[in-house]
Amino acid sequence: MKSIFISQGFVKNESFISHDEAMYLREIYDNLLKDDDKTKGFRSDLSGKKTDNQVEKITQIMRPSLLAPKLKESYTYKHALKTVKKLLGDDMELDFDMLINKAPNTNTETPWHQDAAYWIKMPDKRAVSIWIALDDVYEENGCMWFIPKNKNQEIIEHKAMPNGGALYCEVNNVNAIPIPLPIGGCTFHDGFTFHYSKGNITESQRRALILNFRSKKMIELERKMGVDHTGKREIRNKKGS
Ligand SMILES: O=C(O)CCC(=O)C(=O)O
């Protein structure tokens, strides 16, 4: 797993957590999704726009474990940290978590981007996002797609969607690979790997819980620079970094 992650920038695990554990997380997740008051200030629509009746298309809630601390006590968070330490080193810690839900029949893609475009420039570039499927995911409801990474991939130019929506970039995606997963499966990707997901054209939600890890020192640097992953989205890392 480690060598694939290092060489192509992503790897999958089809059974990262059990079905029961995914159901446990889903209950907490659904309660947060329903709770506009509790999630105020942490919540936004990645699509950059809402439909006329104000249905969020791609709901992103940052730092859900601050709002529902039992998430941090869950098997998933502990298992994720152990796995990441083996992958990238013992100094890895949870930087932030987020949930991203694609509502039914909203057909809105998450555009191609590199996560590092959202982050400040960091001397230690080791980082991994674990994207955990809390529904079966496939192309039609918005599974992740990745482009295998080039060696020493740098950040390319990103632009921002209107109204504080997602960042996006123009990239040749002929080699892009979709990663369908069963509930409880996950993907691991680093900050420089291009990824994307199609819109959800099914009758059900597409719920993903994402945990991001980096070194303790880089988390300290971020916090010193005022970055705690609760604020507004912006381009923080420029082309060529
Ligand atoms: O869930 C999605 O559609 C996109 C997720 C993503 O961009 C990420 O986890 O970095």
Side-chain angles (χ1 to χ4, degrees):
M1 165 185 157
K2 186 171 176 167
S3 61
I4 300 176
F5 174 76
I6 302 291
S7 65
Q8 67 174 18
F10 70 94
V11 68
K12 71 173 174 180
N13 177 340
E14 293 199 341
S15 54
F16 186 61
I17 54 170
S18 68
H19 190 275
D20 282 355
E21 173 75 2
M23 289 300 153
Y24 170 71
L25 296 175
R26 225 157 83 162
E27 200 180 320
I28 302 171
Y29 192 111
D30 286 345
N31 284 332
L32 288 174
L33 269 185
K34 277 190 288 207
D35 198 333
D36 279 334
D37 287 338
K38 193 172 196 170
T39 56
K40 207 169 171 190
F42 292 86
R43 177 182 196 120
S44 61
D45 190 339
L46 266 180
S47 76
K49 51 187 180 293
K50 292 184 176 183
T51 52
D52 294 342
N53 58 4
Q54 298 291 294
V55 172
E56 286 165 341
K57 293 176 169 179
I58 312 177
T59 304
Q60 182 178 46
I61 299 176
M62 298 306 295
R63 308 289 304 265
S65 60
L66 292 180
L67 308 172
K70 45 186 184 182
L71 280 174
K72 266 207 167 162
E73 302 309 315
S74 67
Y75 167 81
T76 303
Y77 279 57
K78 293 177 188 155
H79 177 49
L81 181 60
K82 266 195 203 155
T83 309
V84 169
K85 283 181 185 248
K86 278 195 209 138
L87 191 64
L88 289 178
D90 272 339
D91 56 341
M92 291 290 125
E93 287 189 358
L94 181 71
D95 181 3
F96 66 93
D97 50 353
M98 60 183 171
L99 56 86
I100 301 184
N101 179 53
K102 293 200 168 195
N105 289 312
T106 45
N107 196 11
T108 306
E109 65 181 36
T110 308
W112 285 105
H113 66 281
Q114 296 166 292
D115 290 339
Y118 284 98
W119 306 334
I120 58 168
K121 190 169 177 171
M122 284 177 263
D124 181 346
K125 304 206 181 320
R126 288 173 302 149
V128 57
S129 292
I130 311 186
W131 188 101
I132 304 168
L134 298 184
D135 288 287
D136 290 332
V137 294
Y138 37 91
E139 288 186 39
E140 292 76 13
N141 67 355
C143 70
M144 291 281 266
W145 290 65
F146 297 96
I147 301 174
K149 204 172 71 162
N150 294 327
K151 211 166 175 262
N152 302 325
Q153 176 72 59
E154 292 190 337
I155 299 175
I156 66 166
E157 185 186 0
H158 283 67
K159 294 186 177 141
M161 308 267 264
N163 309 314
L167 302 187
Y168 65 96
C169 63
E170 308 273 339
V171 64
N172 178 348
N173 59 19
V174 284
N175 294 326
I177 303 169
I179 311 287
L181 292 168
I183 293 185
C186 79
T187 54
F188 300 78
H189 67 271
D190 70 21
F192 292 83
T193 301
F194 293 101
H195 55 286
Y196 146 99
S197 66
K198 287 187 178 176
N200 181 1
I201 53 168
T202 72
E203 300 297 322
S204 322
Q205 311 201 72
R206 191 238 58 186
R207 286 163 282 206
L209 172 67
I210 299 123
L211 310 186
N212 177 278
F213 298 84
R214 70 180 78 252
S215 73
K216 185 172 187 286
K217 279 206 171 120
M218 293 304 103
I219 297 172
E220 284 165 6
L221 174 67
E222 284 185 309
R223 300 297 183 265
K224 215 167 94 190
M225 305 288 286
V227 174
D228 66 358
H229 302 278
T230 59
K232 74 176 177 36
R233 277 184 285 274
E234 56 186 287
I235 303 169
R236 294 196 174 79
N237 213 338
K238 298 279 188 299
K239 188 178 164 186
S241 297

